[in-house]
Amino acid sequence: MKLGSKQEAHIYQDKGQKCSAFLANIDEHNSATVRFQKQAYTLPPWSVSILPDCKNVAYNTAKIGVQTSIKTVGVDSVAYLNDPMPLKLMAPYEVEYISKTWETVKEPIGVWSARNFTYQGILEHLNVTKDQSDYLWYMTRIYISNEDIKFWMENQLIPVLTIDSVRDLVYIFVNGQFTGSARGEWVTVAQPVDLKEGYNDILLLSQTVGLQNYGAFLEKDGAGFRGQIKLSGFKNGDLVLTESKWTYQVGLKGEYFKIYTINEKGIVEWSELPRDATATRFSWYKTYFDVPGGVDPIAIDLSSMGKGQVWVNGHHIGRYWTLYAPKDGCQTCDYRGTYDSNKCLTNCREPTQSWYHIPRSWVQASNNLLIIFEETEKNPFKISIKSHYTETICGKVSEDHFPPLHAWSLPETINGTVVLNHMAPEVYLHCDAGNSISSIKFASYGTPQGSCQNFSRGDCHAPNSYSVLSEACLGRQNCSISVSNDAFGGDPCHGVVKTLSVDMKCSPSSTVTSSLM
């Protein structure tokens, strides 16, 4: 049903009395007041209101009062196992790396087993690997004559390896030496290469980093290389390698022999990694570590590493890749308007991810096996592991928000009709298990400004805001506060829509209890 030029209702009704409706306002900039079933409703821009009974609004997508939770990284000292509470509150936290002793083994570059095969031409990556591995080696051999070398020197040329199209990542090696890499979704590669007189081995390591899982023709997307692969810069024209004989090797040697498992014995010879060792590409690293005590989640910090994979006690945590977000694009976020992948960008110029979660069910208090496969020139000595918990919690809800969904009931005595128990909107706040609200950093019922960790009072403020919040929340794991004049002993400013903004701190429950005594 059209309710305006950019407003409409979607109604669901049975033959009896039951009725539900969705009122939508697709205007990106302006609110709209519409009439539906002889009643007026104000719809915020770009929002949908849900009316379970075609009368009362239970929910609006532009007025969602959710808690903001800000995590704090804990310490990872072994002492934390015995007395976690005081250490958790220490600041600033000292960095303590996961281990001072590491072992290493080098992953072979290129063909490493008799399970390889040779084919004339370029094969599609996924059809060869068949989900056995993300990695696929392509190797071919070319002959460079003395005349080729002279031609390049006389004309000051450097031959260039060109690949028409690559997905997702390729590492290029010439005679076992790393030459360059490229990443992207079907991007062109042009890599200068250093060739010697005689036979030269061209090695391409193709790697997938995730596959399309929706959309039309996803099964035809594929991975690896498309188009021509050639060397340019020769006197008689380009040397096309596409139809040359290529030797294929699926996967990594360490991956095939599962050297990341707890029961791995003697398959490879690990050697101690000196602290001053020069980092090399395609290296496996091994160590054992202890975990912080308590029940808080734990995570491993891999910001010092480049790209690779991680296993803990034989469990695969997954891939890691220390990529940095673009320097531009972070702007004020607005929910209004059609979503796209560049909307509401944050943390420009920062790593896209540094911390990787380790399930506590995978670890024990001490002697946990950690295996890292690192593809770039990074050593593991600065890897750390820490617990993390929610320290700061914030809430911001206005009078014109709607009551919580638990205000709705479905009594059998009224023929199954939904009924609204008249309640005010609420701010609901909660700390992690084992933690309680220890202090209130900010509390204001009126017209507060700003956002979490940056709230400030407005022109209107209920003087008892702090005391009301203290009585309702301090020392508790969770609390709810009614956003209404009644809850704060009267109207601090007539004719204005009031908002309750709260910023609180969570601490371990035993610490909170002792501080309140």
Side-chain angles (χ1 to χ4, degrees):
M1 176 190 298
K2 294 291 291 182
L3 302 177
S5 60
K6 294 184 178 181
Q7 297 78 37
E8 59 190 21
H10 296 256
I11 306 162
Y12 297 82
Q13 192 170 17
D14 65 7
K15 294 181 180 179
Q17 300 300 316
K18 295 179 182 178
C19 177
S20 295
F22 297 81
L23 308 186
N25 179 16
I26 63 172
D27 192 319
E28 295 184 19
H29 307 289
N30 303 303
S31 297
T33 298
V34 300
R35 294 196 65 82
F36 174 69
Q37 294 198 356
K38 301 180 181 180
Q39 189 168 333
Y41 298 89
T42 298
L43 308 178
W46 198 259
S47 72
V48 176
S49 288
I50 302 176
L51 286 61
D53 56 359
C54 284
K55 182 186 297 184
N56 296 292
V57 178
Y59 186 86
N60 179 271
T61 57
K63 297 180 178 182
I64 302 175
V66 296
Q67 172 177 303
T68 298
S69 300
I70 299 176
K71 293 283 187 180
T72 293
V73 177
V75 290
D76 57 353
S77 170
V78 176
Y80 182 60
L81 294 170
N82 302 317
D83 191 11
M85 301 310 177
L87 286 171
K88 203 187 238 185
L89 301 177
M90 291 171 59
Y93 302 113
E94 294 182 0
V95 175
E96 185 166 320
Y97 300 125
I98 195 169
S99 178
K100 295 180 180 179
T101 58
W102 288 82
E103 294 180 275
T104 186
V105 66
K106 193 81 174 71
E107 174 68 28
I109 302 298
V111 175
W112 50 265
S113 80
R115 298 176 68 251
N116 64 77
F117 67 93
T118 300
Y119 181 83
Q120 189 162 344
I122 297 296
L123 295 174
E124 196 274 330
H125 179 118
L126 300 178
N127 285 334
V128 178
T129 58
K130 299 186 184 301
D131 292 335
Q132 297 176 61
S133 173
D134 288 339
Y135 304 90
L136 177 61
W137 289 99
Y138 295 69
M139 188 187 80
T140 192
R141 179 167 290 177
I142 61 171
Y143 182 79
I144 300 298
S145 67
N146 179 259
E147 286 74 17
D148 294 324
I149 300 294
K150 286 183 179 179
F151 176 76
W152 294 332
M153 294 179 64
E154 291 171 357
N155 294 276
Q156 296 184 333
L157 292 176
I158 299 176
V160 175
L161 177 69
T162 302
I163 307 174
D164 284 351
S165 191
V166 168
R167 175 181 175 170
D168 293 318
L169 177 68
V170 62
Y171 292 109
I172 301 169
F173 296 83
V174 176
N175 299 321
Q177 299 299 311
F178 176 74
T179 300
S181 64
R183 62 184 174 91
E185 185 173 349
W186 300 121
V187 296
T188 299
V189 178
Q191 176 62 51
V193 291
D194 183 17
L195 301 174
K196 65 180 182 179
E197 184 179 350
Y199 287 101
N200 292 258
D201 290 333
I202 306 295
L203 278 160
L204 306 177
L205 178 59
S206 171
Q207 182 183 165
T208 58
V209 295
L211 303 176
Q212 180 181 342
N213 62 359
Y214 71 95
F217 308 110
L218 66 89
E219 74 282 1
K220 295 183 179 180
D221 193 43
F225 311 122
R226 286 178 179 172
Q228 297 292 313
I229 299 178
K230 60 187 178 182
L231 279 166
S232 59
F234 289 83
K235 182 177 182 179
N236 296 322
D238 296 342
L239 177 61
V240 179
L241 305 177
T242 313
E243 297 302 323
S244 299
K245 287 186 177 181
W246 290 84
T247 298
Y248 293 83
Q249 173 71 66
V250 176
L252 308 172
K253 182 177 181 180
E255 186 181 39
Y256 176 77
F257 287 107
K258 298 182 179 180
I259 65 174
Y260 47 80
T261 59
I262 296 176
N263 298 323
E264 180 271 319
K265 298 291 183 183
I267 297 175
V268 297
E269 291 187 13
W270 295 90
S271 58
E272 183 179 349
L273 179 67
R275 290 193 64 85
D276 59 353
T278 301
T280 57
R281 289 181 177 273
F282 293 83
S283 295
W284 293 85
Y285 299 116
K286 178 172 79 169
T287 194
Y288 292 88
F289 68 97
D290 301 339
V291 299
V295 296
D296 291 329
I298 53 176
I300 186 169
D301 181 2
L302 297 171
S303 58
S304 63
M305 304 302 285
K307 183 183 183 301
Q309 300 187 55
V310 189
W311 291 262
V312 171
N313 291 333
H315 298 283
H316 189 214
I317 289 180
R319 307 181 185 99
Y320 65 88
W321 199 351
T322 308
L323 294 175
Y324 285 80
K327 64 180 181 179
D328 301 318
C330 290
Q331 301 174 353
T332 302
C333 183
D334 192 334
Y335 77 92
R336 295 173 296 182
T338 304
Y339 173 79
D340 64 73
S341 60
N342 292 318
K343 190 170 185 176
C344 294
L345 298 180
T346 59
N347 297 324
C348 289
R349 301 189 183 188
E350 297 296 326
T352 56
Q353 186 173 355
S354 297
W355 294 91
Y356 296 81
H357 177 68
I358 301 176
R360 278 197 176 267
S361 60
W362 290 2
V363 296
Q364 54 214 14
S366 60
N367 204 38
N368 296 284
L369 173 66
L370 174 65
I371 300 291
I372 304 278
F373 174 64
E374 172 61 43
E375 299 172 17
T376 70
E377 295 173 331
K378 298 289 184 179
N379 277 340
F381 290 107
K382 292 186 178 181
I383 293 174
S384 61
I385 186 168
K386 299 185 186 300
S387 62
H388 54 97
Y389 74 108
T390 301
E391 184 178 50
T392 297
I393 56 175
C394 297
K396 183 177 182 180
V397 173
S398 298
E399 281 183 303
D400 60 357
H401 279 56
F402 298 101
L405 292 179
H406 66 73
W408 289 83
S409 60
L410 193 66
E412 298 179 0
T413 57
I414 316 179
N415 300 319
T417 302
V418 287
V419 176
L420 175 61
N421 300 318
H422 293 285
M423 294 174 59
E426 287 184 359
V427 170
Y428 177 75
L429 299 163
H430 63 94
C431 299
D432 296 342
N435 298 310
S436 300
I437 298 168
S438 59
S439 63
I440 300 174
K441 302 176 186 177
F442 180 88
S444 179
Y445 175 69
T447 56
Q449 307 297 315
S451 57
C452 187
Q453 294 190 309
N454 194 31
F455 286 128
S456 62
R457 289 186 185 180
D459 297 332
C460 171
H461 169 73
N464 63 345
S465 297
Y466 184 88
S467 60
V468 170
L469 269 295
S470 296
E471 182 178 351
C473 300
L474 281 183
R476 296 181 171 88
Q477 182 187 350
N478 56 70
C479 64
S480 60
I481 309 96
S482 174
V483 183
S484 66
N485 294 330
D486 291 341
F488 291 87
D491 191 343
C493 45
H494 296 282
V496 176
V497 175
K498 270 73 69 181
T499 297
L500 175 59
S501 293
V502 185
D503 185 336
M504 297 182 174
K505 180 179 179 180
C506 295
S507 298
S509 296
S510 61
T511 306
V512 174
T513 302
S514 61
S515 66
L516 295 175
M517 293 175 64

